[in-house]
Amino acid sequence: MKKILFLVLLSGIAFYLYPRFFVPKNELSINNSQLSISYVSPTVTWNDVTYRFEYFEIYDISQLSLIANFTQKKSSELLIRENNCQNAINGGFYDTNNKPLGLFINSTLNTSSITSALVNGYIAIANRPTIDFDLPENPTIALQTGPMLMMDGKKLKLIIANDEYARRMIAGITSKGTLVFMTIFVPETEVQGPQLADLPDIIEKISTRLPNKIVNAINLDGGNASIFKNSNISISEVSSVGSIYCLR
């Protein structure tokens, strides 16, 4: 008799406590559907100014293409849509005759290198992606741009005449050998950004927060003639971009 009373009492306690400590599966799914997770954009502060940065890292280099837009003058929105780009960033510089400033190699265009203190490096894809002062042999994709910002994990000192605060676009090689593209800008405007001479210090600071640190880095065209797209943000150009890197 005592055992029966004990079991009845235990059942009553369990019935009382169950709704307070256990949530039925259907209620749990309803509660989950009401949850929202806000994306917090990454920022970095340099010289008392806070900049936002966004990036994408490329693990399958065969999905990357370099698309010329020097004479076509298509909008980045159209280029991205036509080429099914999941991620994109503008390429290097071009001159007043709408020709690439220095070497440019893709499947349809091949131009020669120039000697320049500003455009002093190359982003190239041969057997693997490289960013260097020198061009590897037989690249399938290559672009001359600059200046170089980091080399072998060491930041490079830049002396820039008439430096400006503008949105910046950067390419880097990580410690794992992967290619990474990045934009840095003032979040309130998306047009302004750091001075070019400050980029090596800023990239070094950002690099410590990335899954794979940046060891080599180079500057791309920035300011008004720049675009960027990843899963978090899409930035359009003010003036035409000469080319884009497209990751499908």
Side-chain angles (χ1 to χ4, degrees):
M1 184 67 179
K2 289 182 179 180
K3 184 180 291 185
I4 294 173
L5 290 174
F6 174 75
L7 290 174
V8 170
L9 179 61
L10 188 62
S11 299
I13 293 172
F15 182 81
Y16 177 81
L17 293 178
Y18 180 83
R20 289 161 174 76
F21 291 95
F22 299 93
V23 181
K25 289 184 178 180
N26 61 337
E27 290 184 21
L28 183 62
S29 62
I30 293 172
N31 289 339
N32 280 346
S33 68
Q34 296 171 346
L35 293 176
S36 61
I37 300 173
S38 299
Y39 171 72
V40 179
S41 58
T43 59
V44 60
T45 300
W46 183 256
N47 289 340
D48 298 324
V49 179
T50 297
Y51 301 103
R52 178 178 173 181
F53 66 92
E54 289 286 349
Y55 70 96
F56 59 92
E57 191 169 349
I58 301 167
Y59 300 100
D60 184 358
I61 204 67
S62 68
Q63 297 301 306
L64 182 71
S65 59
L66 177 59
I67 302 166
N69 190 47
F70 301 105
T71 57
Q72 298 88 341
K73 299 295 183 183
K74 294 181 180 180
S75 70
S76 63
E77 182 181 2
L78 180 58
L79 288 170
I80 288 169
R81 187 168 66 250
E82 285 181 340
N83 294 280
N84 193 29
C85 308
Q86 302 305 305
N87 298 277
I89 190 171
N90 61 274
F93 302 89
Y94 60 93
D95 62 22
T96 54
N97 296 316
N98 295 320
K99 295 181 178 180
L101 193 61
L103 179 136
F104 185 98
I105 297 174
N106 71 358
S107 59
T108 61
L109 186 61
N110 191 323
T111 63
S112 301
S113 296
I114 62 171
T115 300
S116 169
L118 176 68
V119 186
N120 63 353
Y122 301 92
I123 309 169
I125 311 296
N127 296 326
R128 57 188 177 87
T130 60
I131 292 176
D132 206 311
F133 288 106
D134 299 313
L135 183 69
E137 292 185 2
N138 302 319
T140 55
I141 294 174
L143 177 72
Q144 186 174 3
T145 186
M148 287 285 292
L149 305 171
M150 294 185 71
M151 189 69 189
D152 297 329
K154 297 178 181 178
K155 58 187 180 183
L156 302 176
K157 183 175 178 59
L158 302 180
I159 300 175
I160 307 296
N162 303 315
D163 208 347
E164 297 180 348
Y165 292 93
R167 180 170 69 210
R168 302 296 174 184
M169 303 289 163
I170 299 106
I173 297 294
T174 72
S175 57
K176 298 292 186 181
T178 53
L179 181 61
V180 60
F181 288 112
M182 180 180 297
T183 180
I184 304 172
F185 56 92
V186 174
E188 290 80 9
T189 67
E190 293 188 356
V191 175
Q192 293 185 326
Q195 289 187 311
L196 186 54
D198 289 334
L199 278 186
D201 291 298
I202 294 173
I203 293 171
E204 183 183 56
K205 194 171 184 179
I206 290 174
S207 183
T208 62
R209 299 168 55 187
L210 301 182
N212 301 316
K213 288 187 176 182
I214 295 174
V215 292
N216 291 5
I218 196 168
N219 180 61
L220 296 166
D221 201 355
N224 291 336
S226 63
I227 68 102
F228 185 89
K229 180 184 185 301
N230 69 0
S231 58
N232 301 320
I233 194 170
S234 182
I235 299 175
S236 300
E237 70 275 29
V238 176
S239 55
S240 297
V241 294
S243 60
I244 69 165
Y245 283 99
C246 169
L247 182 65
R248 294 179 177 84

